[in-house]
Amino acid sequence: MAYDYRHMVALADPTRRRVFELVAQRPRSVAELTHSLPVSQPAVSQHLKVLRDAHLVRAEPRGASNVYHIDPQGLEDMRAWLDSMWTDALGSFQEAINKKMETKE
């Protein structure tokens, strides 16, 4: 499965990962996120832009601001990639065990 790593790159930054975790707990506005983080509102907005571009969060307009939610499709894409890695790892492990068993016979 081809993967462009945008999710991993977006989550590599610790502050951005914290923004993502807060939004995962419940939908939040930029102002709410800013109150929970030791960074400025413009910094929070920039982190949200990166997360939106990676399809990890989505914005829902509400009045003069946006409320951010987890983007389920982006999470599904990332999970599918992680699941494929896990499947590949288990397959390789099984092959190694089978080869070891063959050499013992």
Side-chain angles (χ1 to χ4, degrees):
M1 168 192 269
Y3 189 74
D4 66 10
Y5 300 100
R6 66 180 177 233
H7 304 109
M8 297 303 190
V9 170
L11 294 173
D13 180 88
T15 302
R16 194 170 305 123
R17 202 167 40 250
R18 184 66 185 136
V19 169
F20 178 76
E21 290 167 351
L22 289 168
V23 172
Q25 290 173 357
R26 67 177 171 78
R28 297 176 195 253
S29 68
V30 173
E32 288 177 281
L33 290 164
T34 300
H35 291 298
S36 300
L37 297 164
V39 295
S40 68
Q41 188 164 338
V44 170
S45 293
Q46 183 59 37
H47 286 300
L48 286 164
K49 180 186 180 325
V50 173
L51 291 169
R52 272 193 333 265
D53 291 346
H55 303 285
L56 291 172
V57 300
R58 58 183 170 79
E60 175 188 308
R62 194 171 293 165
S65 63
N66 288 318
V67 174
Y68 290 86
H69 301 261
I70 293 297
D71 184 333
Q73 184 58 54
L75 281 182
E76 178 59 33
D77 294 345
M78 186 169 66
R79 182 173 181 172
W81 176 71
L82 289 169
D83 285 347
S84 73
M85 287 185 59
W86 179 244
T87 300
D88 292 347
L90 287 175
S92 295
F93 182 67
Q94 183 65 45
E95 283 180 30
I97 289 174
N98 290 342
K99 284 181 184 176
K100 188 163 186 125
M101 297 300 285
E102 289 172 3
T103 58
K104 286 185 174 185
E105 293 174 355

